[in-house]
Amino acid sequence: MFGIDIIFRIAGIGIVIAIVNQVLKKVDREEITTLTTLAGTVIVLLIVLDMIAQLFSTLKNMFGLF
Amino acid sequence: MEIIKIGAIGIITAICIMILKDIRSDMAVYLSIFGGLIILLMVVEELTGIITVLNTIADKAGLSGDFLSVILKIVGLGFVIDFSAGVCEDTGNKSLAEKIVLGGKISIMFVALPIVVSLFELITSLL
């Protein structure tokens, strides 16, 4: 769960969301696209926040901050 | 060997961002944050060795502990400030990044104050 594979995972999520939105547009269900975009953003945000917390805690322990 | 990995991750992230830019611009911002995060986490892991060596040298030289801890705190603060200011700049709001840098400078000044005080005491005691 570290290094380059997360980047590909997030890029994949972005691409999948884009494709799903295109498909939804074709089936003229425009209103669902906002939901899928929101879902994608939330997933990516969770992963990002998790790693930021990890970074800040390692910094805190190592440098004795706060 | 580590620097090659860091460089590779940076380049690959930049390419992924380019791909994602026109399809989903918000995901591209997350990717740029992510690249910075991963590189920082790798760098921080390497720092532990440097810090232990610094501690041993400081103990040998008889330097009192709090000077080194202040220096390490400032380095850590620098890490945090640089990362968060970079993230804000990536998302485009440059003024927010500058405010973070300002806050960081103030907190560094706050951390470094005891050393300045002890310096002055040293000087007055000499005179």
Side-chain angles (χ1 to χ4, degrees):
Chain A
M1 176 63 180
F2 206 60
I4 205 72
D5 54 348
I6 309 180
I7 290 184
F8 292 141
R9 192 173 299 166
I10 293 200
I13 290 176
I15 291 172
V16 162
I17 298 279
I19 293 167
V20 164
N21 285 355
Q22 296 296 339
V23 167
L24 284 178
K25 275 201 193 77
K26 289 294 174 297
V27 191
D28 58 48
R29 289 235 186 222
E30 275 298 312
E31 66 282 0
I32 300 185
T33 53
T34 49
L35 291 180
T36 52
T37 317
L38 201 62
T41 320
V42 164
I43 293 172
V44 169
L45 200 56
L46 284 179
I47 304 177
V48 168
L49 285 181
D50 175 38
M51 285 200 77
I52 288 181
Q54 186 189 345
L55 171 74
F56 280 169
S57 63
T58 38
L59 279 181
K60 194 152 68 90
N61 303 339
M62 189 177 304
F63 293 110
L65 292 171
F66 320 130
Chain B
M1 268 315 277
E2 205 59 44
I3 188 65
I4 293 175
K5 209 190 281 185
I6 289 173
I9 285 184
I11 291 168
I12 291 170
T13 325
I15 290 167
C16 289
I17 288 171
M18 244 188 348
I19 296 169
L20 265 175
K21 208 137 186 82
D22 46 2
I23 308 174
R24 294 218 57 72
S25 65
D26 55 350
M27 221 52 91
V29 172
Y30 284 123
L31 259 180
S32 64
I33 296 173
F34 235 94
L37 254 175
I38 288 175
I39 289 177
L40 262 184
L41 280 171
M42 284 166 73
V43 166
V44 160
E45 262 154 33
E46 275 179 44
L47 266 177
T48 41
I50 296 174
I51 287 173
T52 40
V53 168
L54 276 180
N55 281 334
T56 47
I57 291 174
D59 296 345
K60 277 209 191 70
L63 195 66
S64 75
D66 58 353
F67 288 137
L68 191 64
S69 72
V70 166
I71 293 169
L72 284 183
K73 266 199 189 118
I74 289 177
V75 170
L77 277 173
F79 255 101
V80 172
I81 294 160
D82 184 55
F83 173 70
S84 39
V87 165
C88 290
E89 230 158 285
D90 276 354
T91 47
N93 26 35
K94 192 149 177 25
S95 63
L96 200 60
E98 265 138 32
K99 287 185 183 49
I100 290 179
V101 170
L102 177 69
K105 280 179 191 157
I106 289 169
S107 53
I108 286 181
M109 190 59 210
F110 185 74
V111 168
L113 219 52
I115 288 195
V116 175
V117 166
S118 67
L119 181 68
F120 274 111
E121 271 151 21
L122 191 69
I123 292 171
T124 45
S125 67
L126 284 179
L127 294 181

